[in-house]
Amino acid sequence: MPETTPRGLTRLAFGGDYNPEQWPESVWREDVRLMREAGVTMVSVGIFSWALLEPSPGVHDFGWLDRLVDLLHEHGIRVDLGTPTVCPPVWFYRAHPEALPVTDQGVRHEFGSRAAICHSNADYRAAAARITTELAQRYGDHPALAMWHVHNEYGVPVSACYCESCAAHFRRWLAATYGTVDAVNEAWGTAFWGQRYNDLEQINPPRATPTVVNPAQALDYKRFADATMRENFRMERDILHRLSPDVPVTTNFMTALSQCDSVDYWAWGREVDIVTNDHYLITDGRRTHVNLAMAADLTRSVAGGAPWILLEHSTSGVNWQPRNPAKAPGEMARNSLAHVARGSEGAMFFQWRQSRRGAEKFHSAMLPHGGTDTRVWREVVELGSCLDSLGAVRGTRTQADVAMLWDWHSWWAQNLQWRPSEDHDPRERADAFYEVLYDRHLTVDFAHPEADLSGHPLVVVPALYLMTEAAGRNLRRYVESGGTLVVSYFSGIVDEHDAVHEGPYPGALRDVLGLTVEEFSPLLKDRSVRLTGPDGSELSGDVWTEFVVPRGAETIWTYADGLTAGHPAVTRHRLGDGTAWYVSTRLAAEGLDALLGRAVEDARVAPRADLPRDVEVVRRTGRSGTYLFAVNHTASDAKVPLETPGTELLTGQRAAGLLEVPAGAVRVVHLDG
């Protein structure tokens, strides 16, 4: 079996995408010298190099890559070698224009960007298999090779194609998934609007129609598109496993909900040997470090709690947002170490040397246009030293306090057309719940709705519109066994085919929540409602209200105004040894904090020390010991209580009592014992 850590890498991963083909070969030795100065341990190579490796059909030029990989090996730098299948050469598209993807409007994309691929196209698959085979045969046992990097960021910028090849492939997928056309008709509810099919050959992708397409068909097409990309990944992975059997294979994910919404990472996490992730700060006015923590927690969860690798982030500003501010002094290291705290086995970047040409020439890099006499370079060198001092954390696992349920299929279904309110955004609810838990200094594991939840005293469900009967039974068992569950509105409504569960809302959840919902009553834009509690407390909600009927649940907060005035707004249901909470409106941060505060008490989650807002405290533990990461995102010095003394690894100093964490800094304590 392949390794589950990069082969031959004995330190944390530090480096980035290295694209030497953009530069004269005379620059390479200078690059490697500077990599050694910065403490680089691994670089990603060849990801966009298909046109150079195969300049014409069947004609290969590996000489430059031979020299590069040998040079890196000579200087002790490990190689994450890419299969360049994200960017086929222009000669391929001129020979096979049908390999370019088609939109649902029937427009075929052109060559000239990246990832313009119809993943159902047989010619693309064959060409990808050939170049992958050539690379595996040539470099599969090279001593510099640490891991294989298949493709690049599947699902971005195109995941679905609607061409005739995809139509035929979709029909084959339906046959494999459902067996018969009658089963498809049942799953899709084609009796509605007279959409019944007599033969699978009558079915096309959900292309542009005069009004809304069948939602179950649209949901299945999202599943099909994701599964088709995964088929191509597996094809390349299996070639690499066969020809390079001891080397792990990965592809870089983009798990942040702010960055990719077309990939089911629960499924993808089971296919790679090592989970890797790319993360970029979204500078939209939010607290970017909270999004970073959430993405890192989600990536670790996709990895099943195992260590993973941050394969890309930025040293400073990016180039693809409307406004791309630079990172503040120290922010790059703080971002990097925050990922390490939450399970990453290092911090890598896009890219090593900043490009002079092309679409990403203004994207920051480890070696900027300004060279080594720059703040970014000095911070890169300092970060390399910090990561070198943290090698002992390799193999340890991040400890979580609570769990949050998330399902990409539910997200896809929720975001289809004609829902009760376009103002309800599943990602917004996930962000909001996560931020409240973050501000309570609780570390979050994410989990699939059907996963084993017994190890988590508290489980929150911010948005789970689609829920299988199996997931509903799973949550009931969890609560009956002593767990505490918190569910937000419009969850448990439909099954895996986007069909409303039989009986009253909320379908798969009504028994565990001890209530039914007679009717949804979304609010008009900019309207809000007041909630009152028996203790006189008041909360505020917007976007959504419901007519809730308790069926065993007790009312904790009641609607004080609006159409639902007098009806329960927040309920609590004792079931077996556990408790299930339900909130039927969109609470702002203050209300969510009040609700989750009560749930935390039910779950008996130990309160954290009185830490300042935006000071993270996260633990990793394993055979080598327990490591406390304290990450100060504020402009003021902070003190973090230590229950156990230890050695601070970045300074080498002993730490006990109160750990001093300077403004904007990170401290990592190897706790005694």
Side-chain angles (χ1 to χ4, degrees):
M1 290 293 293
E3 295 291 330
T4 56
T5 59
R7 189 181 67 162
L9 188 63
T10 58
R11 294 180 289 166
L12 293 177
F14 179 56
D17 283 32
Y18 185 33
N19 300 294
E21 60 269 31
Q22 299 178 18
W23 305 91
E25 196 163 337
S26 58
V27 175
W28 297 2
R29 287 199 173 272
E30 174 70 1
D31 279 333
V32 171
R33 183 186 68 81
L34 291 173
M35 288 179 189
R36 292 293 301 272
E37 181 179 325
V40 166
T41 61
M42 185 168 72
V43 292
S44 301
V45 173
I47 297 168
F48 300 104
S49 301
W50 195 344
L52 295 179
L53 294 170
E54 190 175 7
S56 59
V59 177
H60 298 98
D61 178 8
F62 293 112
W64 68 272
L65 187 55
D66 289 347
R67 295 190 295 277
L68 175 68
V69 174
D70 288 346
L71 178 64
L72 292 166
H73 177 58
E74 178 187 336
H75 290 83
I77 298 168
R78 309 297 296 161
V79 173
D80 167 38
L81 185 55
T83 66
T85 51
V86 69
C87 284
V90 66
W91 59 255
F92 170 80
Y93 286 120
R94 292 298 177 258
H96 307 288
E98 68 283 357
L100 289 161
V102 174
T103 70
D104 62 350
Q105 301 285 327
V107 176
R108 190 178 295 279
H109 289 289
E110 251 296 353
F111 174 82
S113 181
R114 71 173 196 178
I117 296 166
C118 167
H119 282 276
S120 294
N121 182 267
D123 294 309
Y124 167 75
R125 291 184 175 208
R130 286 193 298 271
I131 190 64
T132 299
T133 300
E134 292 284 346
L135 285 164
Q137 290 174 335
R138 192 173 190 94
Y139 301 104
D141 59 357
H142 195 287
L145 184 61
M147 62 182 185
W148 289 102
H149 182 308
V150 170
H151 205 267
N152 184 71
E153 295 178 345
Y154 280 98
V156 177
V158 177
S159 59
C161 171
Y162 297 81
C163 72
E164 286 304 315
S165 293
C166 288
H169 192 186
F170 184 43
R171 295 175 198 123
R172 293 192 298 272
W173 183 87
L174 290 171
T177 301
Y178 292 104
T180 66
V181 69
D182 288 341
V184 174
N185 283 316
E186 175 65 22
W188 289 2
T190 56
F192 187 80
W193 280 359
Q195 295 173 351
R196 184 173 181 82
Y197 298 99
N198 299 318
D199 193 291
L200 290 175
E201 291 302 312
Q202 296 174 334
I203 299 175
N204 279 325
R207 296 167 176 148
T209 57
T211 186
V212 178
V213 301
N214 184 313
Q217 180 186 10
L219 175 59
D220 263 351
Y221 204 74
K222 289 179 180 292
R223 290 172 171 142
F224 158 75
D226 179 55
T228 302
M229 291 187 293
R230 206 157 56 246
E231 282 180 25
N232 285 355
F233 168 78
R234 282 197 298 265
M235 174 194 69
E236 293 191 45
R237 179 203 64 193
D238 292 349
I239 291 169
L240 297 169
H241 278 172
R242 176 170 53 85
L243 297 175
S244 184
D246 299 324
V247 181
V249 180
T250 190
T251 186
N252 45 339
F253 296 168
M254 298 189 75
T255 62
L257 305 185
S258 55
Q259 292 179 247
C260 183
D261 62 359
S262 59
V263 174
D264 175 8
Y265 286 116
W266 293 125
W268 282 80
R270 296 189 292 269
E271 302 290 352
V272 297
D273 299 322
I274 304 173
V275 167
T276 63
N277 194 53
D278 297 352
H279 182 264
Y280 293 97
L281 301 181
I282 304 299
T283 50
D284 59 359
R286 306 188 192 198
R287 298 157 69 201
T288 56
H289 55 277
V290 180
N291 175 275
L292 183 158
M294 184 176 179
D297 283 343
L298 186 50
T299 307
R300 182 187 69 253
S301 301
V302 165
W308 54 279
I309 297 177
L310 175 65
L311 207 55
E312 287 185 30
H313 71 313
S314 67
T315 57
S316 193
V318 297
N319 68 299
W320 38 264
Q321 298 182 89
R323 287 158 288 279
N324 297 286
K327 289 185 178 180
E331 187 177 0
M332 175 186 64
R334 192 166 63 251
N335 291 165
S336 301
L337 296 178
H339 281 289
V340 174
R342 294 176 186 272
S344 177
E345 298 281 72
M348 297 182 65
F349 296 89
F350 180 83
Q351 57 183 326
W352 164 252
R353 182 182 283 269
Q354 195 168 13
S355 301
R356 290 185 56 225
R357 297 176 175 85
E360 295 183 286
K361 56 183 171 288
F362 297 119
H363 190 295
S364 61
M366 299 176 77
L367 183 59
H369 290 309
T372 57
D373 189 19
T374 57
R375 173 180 68 87
V376 166
W377 172 254
R378 288 187 286 272
E379 291 192 13
V380 163
V381 174
E382 183 179 359
L383 176 59
S385 176
C386 289
L387 289 170
D388 189 52
S389 68
L390 297 181
V393 306
R394 292 177 72 241
T396 60
R397 295 192 173 209
T398 301
Q399 297 176 301
D401 303 295
V402 301
M404 180 181 291
L405 299 192
W406 182 257
D407 181 19
W408 278 273
H409 292 225
S410 179
W411 194 17
W412 298 340
Q414 168 63 65
N415 285 342
L416 296 173
Q417 295 171 290
W418 286 13
R419 299 306 186 227
S421 174
E422 66 178 17
D423 295 326
H424 171 48
D425 178 356
R427 180 200 154 192
E428 182 278 332
R429 282 294 81 188
D431 287 346
F433 271 76
Y434 184 91
E435 190 163 0
V436 170
L437 294 169
Y438 178 95
D439 284 341
R440 285 182 164 267
H441 303 286
L442 298 174
T443 303
V444 177
D445 272 344
F446 286 82
H448 186 274
E450 296 180 16
D452 179 12
L453 303 171
S454 59
H456 298 92
L458 172 65
V459 172
V460 299
V461 183
L464 206 57
Y465 160 77
L466 182 155
M467 182 180 287
T468 63
E469 293 285 356
R473 292 192 296 271
N474 187 43
L475 293 184
R476 177 168 185 143
R477 285 193 301 269
Y478 167 75
V479 173
E480 288 176 333
S481 299
T484 299
L485 179 70
V486 180
V487 178
S488 188
Y489 64 91
F490 206 43
S491 293
I493 305 303
V494 299
D495 66 12
E496 60 269 33
H497 304 300
D498 197 47
V500 174
H501 287 286
E502 288 190 17
Y505 308 132
L509 287 169
R510 58 178 174 255
D511 291 341
V512 70
L513 296 176
L515 55 81
T516 58
V517 174
E518 289 189 350
E519 192 176 3
F520 307 131
S521 185
L523 299 177
L524 296 179
K525 189 173 179 60
D526 299 325
R527 299 289 179 87
S528 62
V529 291
R530 288 187 304 111
L531 285 62
T532 58
D535 57 356
S537 61
E538 286 200 2
L539 306 178
S540 177
D542 64 3
V543 171
W544 193 276
T545 62
E546 295 176 346
F547 290 93
V548 174
V549 179
R551 310 283 184 183
E554 61 177 315
T555 300
I556 305 301
W557 278 281
T558 303
Y559 289 113
D561 54 20
L563 194 62
T564 54
H567 289 266
V570 177
T571 62
R572 179 174 180 265
H573 184 219
R574 297 180 186 273
L575 182 66
D577 294 327
T579 306
W581 291 79
Y582 183 63
V583 53
S584 62
T585 186
R586 189 177 81 165
L587 296 177
E590 183 179 351
L592 269 184
D593 184 66
L595 166 64
L596 291 175
R598 295 282 300 271
V600 164
E601 291 178 4
D602 278 350
R604 297 182 177 86
V605 175
R608 283 291 170 86
D610 185 17
L611 294 169
R613 190 173 191 247
D614 293 328
V615 175
E616 298 181 32
V617 175
V618 183
R619 286 173 171 80
R620 288 183 63 159
T621 188
R623 291 183 179 179
S624 62
T626 297
Y627 302 85
L628 181 144
F629 286 73
V631 186
N632 186 354
H633 295 284
T634 77
S636 302
D637 296 347
K639 297 181 186 296
V640 173
L642 292 178
E643 296 179 2
T644 305
T647 301
E648 205 289 306
L649 298 180
L650 300 180
T651 63
Q653 298 176 349
R654 290 291 295 169
L658 290 176
L659 173 67
E660 300 274 355
V661 187
V666 179
R667 292 292 180 260
V668 183
V669 180
H670 183 191
L671 300 175
D672 293 344

